[in-house]
Amino acid sequence: MAPEERREQILDAALDVIVEHGVGRVTVDGLAKAIGVTRPVIHSQFTDSNDILRTVLKREEARALAQLTEVFESVGQIPTPENIAEMIRAYLRAVLAEPKRWRAILLPAGYPPAFRKRLQRGQKLITDIFEQIARASMPPNTDVEMLAKALLALLLDAGRIALEEPDDFPPERIASFTASMAARVLSHDQQV
């Protein structure tokens, strides 16, 4: 197997362990056993389990942000109920298309501080995008920071719900609810 393919195989195995058992269970020995290789094969690609964890998080963060960038670019810049609902639909399609990635991001278990800090940086990037959209489209008296944080919470919770209860809360149900709530909020005076 080519070195880059082996590296991806190791990272994929690490992601599986994170999703199924938590970050604390990612070990060189465990990954070697999972993919049927020896420790030296793992060490030819990574120095230790911390290196593997940093690398898998960096990879999944980049891929998640790429998915979200596509979502945000596909939706208009004006927060109409229809645009907000379409953003939720597109986001949930992205979540459900890569459930392992998003389980690791949205349903973290036992993450060490460095791992959580990395997730928080990604969330800050998303919040910044929401703030830019709100500044460009909402009345000047809008608390864009609060609005951005509320939208982030909505996205994160929608993703969690879609992953944990897909039969009860399919993307269309979540998107329809979001559109109706957005219509109510946007139809009221912004000075409330």
Side-chain angles (χ1 to χ4, degrees), residues 4-20:
E4 189 54 39
E5 289 175 359
R6 178 66 73 194
R7 185 175 182 81
E8 289 300 308
Q9 180 189 33
I10 295 166
L11 294 176
D12 290 343
L15 183 59
D16 288 343
V17 172
I18 290 167
V19 170
E20 294 173 23

Side-chain angles (χ1 to χ4, degrees), residues 9-172:
Q9 180 189 33
I10 295 166
L11 294 176
D12 290 343
L15 183 59
D16 288 343
V17 172
I18 290 167
V19 170
E20 294 173 23
H21 306 289
V23 173
R25 298 286 300 271
V26 175
T27 65
V28 172
D29 286 335
L31 292 175
K33 184 178 178 181
I35 62 174
V37 299
T38 62
R39 286 177 56 96
V41 171
I42 304 288
H43 284 296
S44 72
Q45 297 291 325
F46 300 97
T47 56
D48 58 18
S49 60
N50 286 330
D51 185 24
I52 295 167
L53 286 171
R54 279 190 303 275
T55 305
V56 75
L57 178 59
K58 185 176 180 181
R59 180 186 82 168
E60 295 307 312
E61 176 186 61
R63 290 176 177 179
L65 290 174
Q67 281 184 295
L68 291 177
T69 299
E70 287 180 33
V71 166
F72 296 139
E73 288 175 354
S74 71
V75 177
Q77 290 292 314
I78 298 172
T80 65
E82 296 79 20
N83 287 348
I84 292 169
E86 183 50 37
M87 180 185 67
I88 291 293
R89 276 187 209 94
Y91 163 71
L92 293 174
R93 283 191 299 268
V95 167
L96 296 174
E98 296 293 338
K100 287 180 187 177
R101 172 178 305 136
W102 289 98
R103 280 188 184 283
I105 293 168
L106 297 172
L107 304 170
Y111 284 171
F115 208 82
R116 280 194 308 273
K117 188 174 183 178
R118 188 89 188 212
L119 289 174
Q120 289 167 344
R121 278 197 302 255
Q123 291 174 359
K124 172 87 170 84
L125 290 171
I126 296 166
T127 303
D128 290 346
I129 292 168
F130 286 150
E131 284 187 28
Q132 290 171 5
I133 292 169
R135 279 193 186 89
S137 60
M138 299 300 285
N141 60 338
T142 301
D143 185 340
V144 295
E145 184 178 12
M146 188 65 225
L147 177 59
K149 289 192 177 292
L151 290 172
L152 175 66
L154 172 67
L155 276 181
L156 296 176
D157 281 342
R160 286 183 194 106
I161 291 168
L163 287 168
E164 291 180 323
E165 303 176 65
D167 294 334
D168 293 332
F169 297 97
E172 190 53 44

